[in-house]
Amino acid sequence: MAEQLLIAEGSREAQYQALLPQVLALIESESDIVAAMANCSAAIQQTFNWLWTGFYLVKGEQLVLGPFQGPIACTRIPKGRGVCGSAWAQARTLIVPDVDAFPGHIACSSAARSEIVLPVCDAAGTVVAVLDIDASELAQFSELDQRYLAPVCAALGRLFNPPANA
């Protein structure tokens, strides 16, 4: 089934207010995590046109590249390394205004200048993936982005623990 994304004009907050219910509807109508992540990354990327938007999935002691939109990316990231690995290890959102100033930053793309990474947690609170967004300009992310992206990550996390009767 083809989906139509309605992109709002105006402030970033107005764009998020239009995007959030659409992305949550996409997630709620899908039971496959890869399909849901693919549509989420596409919708976020289409709305904001950042450099890179995508997911890394926890597999053992590393993050493995999942669905994304943007240039070719790092395939595997060890726990605790770079912004993504650090967000996973700390189980918290990291907003990095200048990736070159982040200790141990992994430069998957030399064009990336700022980044936000949010954990995706299952029902037990275990980080099972991260949402990673890179911008080609400095200081592109704030608590506003975190506030609107966190519900997306929470909804995706529920797909890792579907109800027993589903």
Side-chain angles (χ1 to χ4, degrees), residues 37 52 54-57 64-68 75:
M37 287 178 161
W52 197 92
F55 294 91
Y56 283 91
L57 295 121
V64 177
L65 182 63
F68 73 93
T75 305

Side-chain angles (χ1 to χ4, degrees), residues 16 24 29 50 55-57 62 70 75 79 83 103 115 118-119 123 127 142 144 148 161:
Y16 272 123
L24 293 177
S29 66
W50 284 314
F55 294 91
Y56 283 91
L57 295 121
Q62 60 186 348
T75 305
K79 189 171 190 176
V83 182
E115 187 170 2
L118 296 92
V127 178
S142 70
L144 175 76
Y148 282 99
N161 299 100

Side-chain angles (χ1 to χ4, degrees), residues 16-17 26-28 35 52 55 70 74 77 82 99 111 117 119 121-122 130 133 137-138 147-148 159 163:
Y16 272 123
Q17 288 172 347
L26 286 170
I27 295 168
E28 290 167 7
W52 197 92
F55 294 91
C74 295
I77 300 172
V99 295
V117 179
C121 298
D122 66 11
V130 297
I133 304 174
E137 297 86 29
L138 293 171
R147 182 168 20 112
Y148 282 99
L159 292 181

Side-chain angles (χ1 to χ4, degrees), residues 11-24:
S11 70
R12 184 175 293 183
E13 185 158 22
Q15 290 176 304
Y16 272 123
Q17 288 172 347
L19 175 66
L20 185 59
Q22 294 179 84
V23 170
L24 293 177

Side-chain angles (χ1 to χ4, degrees), residues 6-162:
L6 302 174
I7 300 173
E9 298 290 324
S11 70
R12 184 175 293 183
E13 185 158 22
Q15 290 176 304
Y16 272 123
Q17 288 172 347
L19 175 66
L20 185 59
Q22 294 179 84
V23 170
L24 293 177
L26 286 170
I27 295 168
E28 290 167 7
S29 66
E30 181 53 60
S31 61
D32 184 88
I33 190 64
V34 172
M37 287 178 161
N39 269 336
C40 284
S41 60
I44 294 166
Q45 185 68 16
Q46 266 189 279
T47 299
F48 297 106
N49 198 31
W50 284 314
L51 176 66
W52 197 92
T53 302
F55 294 91
Y56 283 91
L57 295 121
V58 174
K59 303 221 178 192
E61 287 301 306
Q62 60 186 348
L63 293 170
V64 177
L65 182 63
F68 73 93
Q69 299 283 312
I72 292 173
C74 295
T75 305
R76 297 173 186 276
I77 300 172
K79 189 171 190 176
R81 295 263 332 270
V83 182
C84 290
S86 296
W88 170 28
Q90 297 171 30
R92 69 181 184 96
T93 298
L94 294 179
I95 299 171
V96 181
D98 181 354
V99 295
D100 291 332
F102 188 86
H105 174 254
I106 300 170
C108 295
S109 170
S110 61
R113 302 297 311 276
S114 58
E115 187 170 2
I116 184 170
V117 179
L118 296 92
V120 175
C121 298
D122 66 11
T126 302
V127 178
V128 291
V130 297
L131 168 59
D132 178 22
I133 304 174
D134 297 345
S136 55
E137 297 86 29
L138 293 171
Q140 289 300 295
F141 304 105
S142 70
E143 288 75 23
L144 175 76
D145 302 287
Q146 180 178 357
R147 182 168 20 112
Y148 282 99
L149 294 169
V152 172
C153 293
L156 287 166
R158 289 190 287 275
L159 292 181
F160 283 90
N161 299 100

